[in-house]
């Protein structure tokens, strides 16, 4: 029956709560519910989504949750259906104690966007507690002289319920001598007293047993009983009386143990008043824990830790009792004084641990709640963050703050922030709390890759194998993750008409640049490329850099000997007269190397010689000179082998063989060198061309003799002797080309003609090649040996001192080579011809014979080697380096006439087309015309 009534009561309360909930929400975001205590866990409190007008899906998408400032969790939120439910069983008496108005407040928080609703749930009391007497039996001593109307206070029953459910009335049985007197106190409690309405007689009855019953007003009604044993005492007719009806005092919270709070005192008119005892009446467990009273002196002292936040005031009933059993009651009211002993409490309700670096100012980072359990000024809180940070605190509701961005963010400058939130209360001294939030800044692709250098320069040796690494480029991106992942791209372009990618390859991930093919320094010396560094952001950012790649020379070309020309079908002999002095210039080896730098520096060494003690080779200029006086014992036929080496590592070399004749007479030379070619087999055509060449030379020789005689007669009359070239004489010019390293920049010209018979030989020297020099064309013809022998008797050569006006340009040393400077010297190259001073003497007979032999050999080689289709234009231009065998002087070019430098191509690279003609002087322009007519 009782359980049925209780169920009906719960149902009635539930419908009452629902009715109240419909009117609980207000425009300020607050809503109030009312529920009975002791509801089962999971019971429904109310539909907050419906009451607030929210879509139930909003609770899920907004991650709705319940926040309790005091960390108590009685009410929970069911986000699925939007209901508030009982999470923990609520005991109103435990939660609020004697306070009749009991409620639980909490906040419901939504995110995206952030919303806050305050909910208050009133806890209604139910009659779940019966009245309880402090003692199961009351012992009461009453004097027999107690007057009618004497009051005897009884210990009241305790009922933790409130309102109608708390203690309502008392009954006493039997009522022969006593009746009850119930008084209501100011705080709503009831004080019960027994009032003597019939005199006591100890002699009639010494003990009286009474039953006191306490009833509450709940439904169903609850009650409690206590037995009162009254002992009738003899002769004590004065009760103690307190000095005050109530004692009011105060104590500071956290007061030291033993601190005296107050002193109560009571007096008794009887003689035994000094025996009054003091004690607390109906003291609660909290009071017994915190305070104590001295039974004899009445001193009330602190014996526990007093906390203002838990108890702000204490009301303690105190009783004084004499030895006669008479008592008096009073009340002690203790006010607790607050001390600033609680730090502010910071609670982070919502926090975004990462924010994009492009977040706009005002973006909410965190929602924060601050609480202080102290009161008055001690509970006033000021919340702030570190200075000089791009954030600020903005107050929203009371004790609520939002942490928002105050300025722009840059992840590249600061990867993360440790934001210190400081809450300070208004106490003296103030107390503070700190909370550190670690906020990471997420990256945005706002930086392009940057190369370590503004430009790169790399060197690579020619003839490199494919896939050779040239260098590695590196670019850094200040962004993070994918935005900082750099890829390297070769920008398209052409090089020598071919795509750049056919020469160079770049690894897109590492930036390593390697070759796709082998390079040749002689074809390509340097080139530029552009590399792009691109990050992985969206959209991607990129930066370009220029790379200057320089090809370095390698010693991959051997020296090429230009003079003397080595052919298999001719015998060239240099003639050294036996009267030659020490240092006589025999000939000069001229060679070039198409490499560059020190790889093209040439040195000359004598490898083999018939008589090594007779000749030496200039190490740098290739000049072959005598090292001692020639004697009669020296062999006529001398064979020298010269090695030309470059300065590369490893070095390369070329070998040239030179025949030297030591003799004063031409027939002796011919007799010694006629067997040079006896072991060579020539075919009929070669012999034919050789005979034809000799005949032509003989014919030209006769013509030249006539011209010389005419000139001599003319010069005899003018008392001057000049040697000029006669018409139709065979001319073999020697013009070495100009090279970039070690060039010969002077140009000479000399004319020679000769036959295999020394009697028909002649030579003429002319001035350096200039604009008034006449170069005669060589023509071939056949002349009978008998005719040449007769004309040889007519040949007379008279030598006269040379014209003193014919001199070489200043600042030049004599000698065929000019004693060129070492390759290291700036502006000088090996083999440069220069000289100073005049030519000391006209050519001797030995010199004429030597040149004659060279001319005959050259004509023979042209006929025998190249055949009738030989074109002199296909041969190299040797006009820049001329030496005069048998002389210590060097002919120089007209300083006003310069020939452009050009590189000598390898022999196999000579073009079949007609070579460009040399510059013509005014005197020589007529000859080509005459030749064309012929």
């Amino acid at each position: 029956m009782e359980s049925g009534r209780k169920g009906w009561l719960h149902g009635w309360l539930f419908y009452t709560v629902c009715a109240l909930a419909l009117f609980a929400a207000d425009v300020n975001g607050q809503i109030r519910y009312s529920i009975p205590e002791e509801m089962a866990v999971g019971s429904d409190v109310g539909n907050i989504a419906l009451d607030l007008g929210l879509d139930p899906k909003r609770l899920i998408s907004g991650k709705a949750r319940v926040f309790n400032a005091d960390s108590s969790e009685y009410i929970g939120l069911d986000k699925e259906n939007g209901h508030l439910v009982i999470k923990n069983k609520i005991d109103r008496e435990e939660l609020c104690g004697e306070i009749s108005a009991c409620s639980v407040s909490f906040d419901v928080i939504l995110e995206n966007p952030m919303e806050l609703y305050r909910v208050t749930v009133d806890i209604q009391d139910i009659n779940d507690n019966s009245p309880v007497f402090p003692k199961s039996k009351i012992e009461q001593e009453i004097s027999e002289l107690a007057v009618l109307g004497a009051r005897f206070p009884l210990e009241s029953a305790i009922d933790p319920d409130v309102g109608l459910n708390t203690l309502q009335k008392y009954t006493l049985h039997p009522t022969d001598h006593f009746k009850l007197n119930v008084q209501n106190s100011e705080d709503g409690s009831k004080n019960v007293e027994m009032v003597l309405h019939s005199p006591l007689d100890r002699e009639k009855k010494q003990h009286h047993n009474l039953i006191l019953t306490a009833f509450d007003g709940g439904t169903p009604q609850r009650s409690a009983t206590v037995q009162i044993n009254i002992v009738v005492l003899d002769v004590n007719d004065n009760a103690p009386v307190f000095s005050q009806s109530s004692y009011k005092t105060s104590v500071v919270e956290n007061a030291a143990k033993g601190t005296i709070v107050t002193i109560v005192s009571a007096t008794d008119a009887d003689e035994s008043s000094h025996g009054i005892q003091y004690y607390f009446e109906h003291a609660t467990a909290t009071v017994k824990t915190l305070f104590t009273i001295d039974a004899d002196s009445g001193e009330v002292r602190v014996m526990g830790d007093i906390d203002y936040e838990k108890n702000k005031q204490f009301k303690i009933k105190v009783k004084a009792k004499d030895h006669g059993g008479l008592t008096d009651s009073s009340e002690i009211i203790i006010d607790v004084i607050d001390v600033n002993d609680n730090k502010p409490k910071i609670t982070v309700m919502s926090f975004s641990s990462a924010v994009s670096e492009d977040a706009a100012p005002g973006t909410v980072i965190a929602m924060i709640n601050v609480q202080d359990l102290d009161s008055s000024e001690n509970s006033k809180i000021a919340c702030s963050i570190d200075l000089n940070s791009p954030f600020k605190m903005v107050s929203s509701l009371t004790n609520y703050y939002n942490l928002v961005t105050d300025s722009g963010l840059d992840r590249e400058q600061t990867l993360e922030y440790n934001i210190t939130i400081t809450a300070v209360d208004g106490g003296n001294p103030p107390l503070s709390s700190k909370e550190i939030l670690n906020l990471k800044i997420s990256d945005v692709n706002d930086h392009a890759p940057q190369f370590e250098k503004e430009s790169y320069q790399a060197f690579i040796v020619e003839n490199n194998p494919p896939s050779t690494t040239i260098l590695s480029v590196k670019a850094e991106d200040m962004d993070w993750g994918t935005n900082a992942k750099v890829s390297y791209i070769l920008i398209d372009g052409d090089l020598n008409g071919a795509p750049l990618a056919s020469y160079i390859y770049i690894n897109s991930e590492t930036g390593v640049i390697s070759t796709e093919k082998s390079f040749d320094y002689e074809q390509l010396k340097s080139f530029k490329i552009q590399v792009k560094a691109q990050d992985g952001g969206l959209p991607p950012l990129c930066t370009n850099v220029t790379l200057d790649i320089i090809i370095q020379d390698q010693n991959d070309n051997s020296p090429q000997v230009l003079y003397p020309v080595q052919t298999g079908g001719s015998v060239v002999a240099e003639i050294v007269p036996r009267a030659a002095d020490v240092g006589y210039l025999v000939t000069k080896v001229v060679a070039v190397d198409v490499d560059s730098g020190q790889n093209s520096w040439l040195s000359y060494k004598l490898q083999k010689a018939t008589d090594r003690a007779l000749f030496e080779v200039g190490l740098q200029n290739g000049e072959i000179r005598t090292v001692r006086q020639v004697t009669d014992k020296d062999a006529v036929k001398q064979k020298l082998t010269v090695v030309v080496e470059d300065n590369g590592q490893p070095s390369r070399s070329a070998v040239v063989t030179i025949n030297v004749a030591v003799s004063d007479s031409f027939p002796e030379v011919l007799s010694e060198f006629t067997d040079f070619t006896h072991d060579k087999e020539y075919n009929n055509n070669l012999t034919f061309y050789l005979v034809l060449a000799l005949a032509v030379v003989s014919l030209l020789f006769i013509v030249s003799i006539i011209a010389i005689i005419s000139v001599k007669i003319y010069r005899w009359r003018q008392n001057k002797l000049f040697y000029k070239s006669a018409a139709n004489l065979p001319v073999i010019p020697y013009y070495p080309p100009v090279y970039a390293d070690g060039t010969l920049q002077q140009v000479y010209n000399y004319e020679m003609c000769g036959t295999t018979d020394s009697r028909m030989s002649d030579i003429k020297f002319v001035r350096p090649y200039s604009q008034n020099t006449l170069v005669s064309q060589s023509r071939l013809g056949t002349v009978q040996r008998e005719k040449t022998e007769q004309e040889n008797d007519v040949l007379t050569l008279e030598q006269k001192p040379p014209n003193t006006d014919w001199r070489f340009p200043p600042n030049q040393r004599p000698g065929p080579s000019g004693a060129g400077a070492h390759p290291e010297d700036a502006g000088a190259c090996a083999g440069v011809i220069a000289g100073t001073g005049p030519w000391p003497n006209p050519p001797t007979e030995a010199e004429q014979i030597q040149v004659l032999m060279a001319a005959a050999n050259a004509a023979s080689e042209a006929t025998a080697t190249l055949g009738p289709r030989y074109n002199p234009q296909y041969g190299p231009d040797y006009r820049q380096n001329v030496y005069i065998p048998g002389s210590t002087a060097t002919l120089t070019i007209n300083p006003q006439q310069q020939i452009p430098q050009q590189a000598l191509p390898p022999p196999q690279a000579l073009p079949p087309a007609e070579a460009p003609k040399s510059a013509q002087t005014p005197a020589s322009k007529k000859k080509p015309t005459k030749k064309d007519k012929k």
Side-chain angles (χ1 to χ4, degrees), residues 774-882:
L774 178 62
V775 181
S776 62
Q777 302 288 333
S778 63
R779 294 179 294 176
L780 299 179
T782 60
V783 181
Q784 299 177 358
R785 176 176 291 274
E786 291 80 7
K787 185 177 180 179
T788 58
E789 291 178 354
Q790 294 174 1
E791 293 178 349
N792 188 47
D793 296 334
V794 184
L795 174 62
T796 58
L797 297 175
E798 295 182 6
Q799 300 181 3
K800 292 184 178 182
N803 187 359
T804 58
D805 295 337
W806 181 28
R807 294 181 178 273
F808 297 102
N811 301 325
Q812 295 185 356
R813 294 178 293 175
S817 65
H822 192 275
E824 288 85 359
D825 298 336
C829 306
V832 175
I833 297 178
T836 59
W839 195 345
N841 294 310
T844 63
E845 182 181 356
E847 295 172 358
Q848 296 177 17
I849 295 174
Q850 185 178 5
V851 176
L852 181 61
M853 290 295 296
N857 291 334
S860 176
E861 290 173 345
T863 305
T865 304
L866 302 177
R869 297 177 63 185
Y870 169 73
N871 189 346
Q873 295 177 353
Y874 293 156
D877 189 359
Y878 297 136
R879 289 177 293 179
Q880 296 184 8
N881 189 7
V882 177

Side-chain angles (χ1 to χ4, degrees), residues 109-295:
I109 301 172
L110 299 176
E111 296 180 355
N112 297 322
M114 292 186 179
E115 296 178 304
L116 179 67
Y117 299 93
R118 181 159 294 173
V119 180
T120 302
V121 179
D122 295 329
I123 309 302
Q124 302 295 328
D125 182 60
I126 63 173
N127 191 23
D128 58 340
N129 293 283
S130 299
V132 177
F133 285 96
K135 298 179 180 179
S136 62
K137 185 182 291 186
I138 298 176
E139 300 290 340
Q140 185 72 41
E141 294 179 348
I142 301 176
S143 174
E144 63 176 345
L145 295 180
V147 297
L148 298 177
R151 296 177 299 172
F152 302 95
L154 300 176
E155 291 184 76
S156 300
I158 299 174
D159 192 341
D161 295 329
V162 295
L164 295 176
N165 297 326
T166 191
L167 188 63
Q168 297 295 325
K169 65 179 181 178
Y170 292 91
T171 60
L172 183 65
H173 183 77
T175 59
D176 296 339
H177 295 279
F178 298 92
K179 64 178 181 180
L180 289 177
N181 181 22
V182 179
Q183 295 180 350
N184 296 323
S185 61
E186 294 178 358
D187 59 355
S189 61
K190 297 181 181 297
N191 298 324
V192 59
E193 298 175 333
M194 290 190 306
V195 179
L196 182 62
H197 66 87
S198 173
L200 298 174
D201 188 357
R202 179 180 174 278
E203 287 71 25
K204 292 182 179 179
K205 192 174 182 180
Q206 186 177 358
H207 296 280
H208 296 269
N209 296 320
L210 305 176
I211 300 298
L212 179 63
T213 303
F215 298 90
D216 63 19
T219 303
Q221 190 177 44
R222 295 175 178 268
S223 63
T225 60
V226 63
Q227 183 177 355
I228 302 175
N229 295 326
I230 298 175
V231 177
V232 180
L233 299 179
D234 188 32
V235 188
N236 186 16
D237 52 351
N238 291 294
V241 178
F242 280 99
S243 59
Q244 298 179 19
S245 59
S246 64
Y247 295 87
K248 191 169 184 179
T249 184
S250 63
V251 62
V252 178
E253 71 171 328
N254 301 324
K257 295 180 180 179
T259 301
I260 298 177
V261 179
T262 188
I263 299 175
V264 297
S265 64
T267 60
D268 193 341
D270 294 334
E271 293 181 356
S272 59
S273 60
H274 61 277
I276 297 175
Q277 299 291 313
Y278 301 96
Y279 56 92
F280 291 144
E281 183 183 17
H282 306 315
T284 62
T286 302
V287 172
K288 292 179 181 179
T289 303
L290 299 177
F291 303 97
T292 182
I293 188 170
D294 188 286

Side-chain angles (χ1 to χ4, degrees), residues 601 620 740-743 745 819-830 832 901:
W601 298 349
Q620 297 177 358
D741 298 318
T743 59
Q745 299 182 355
H822 192 275
E824 288 85 359
D825 298 336
C829 306
V832 175
Q901 297 184 359

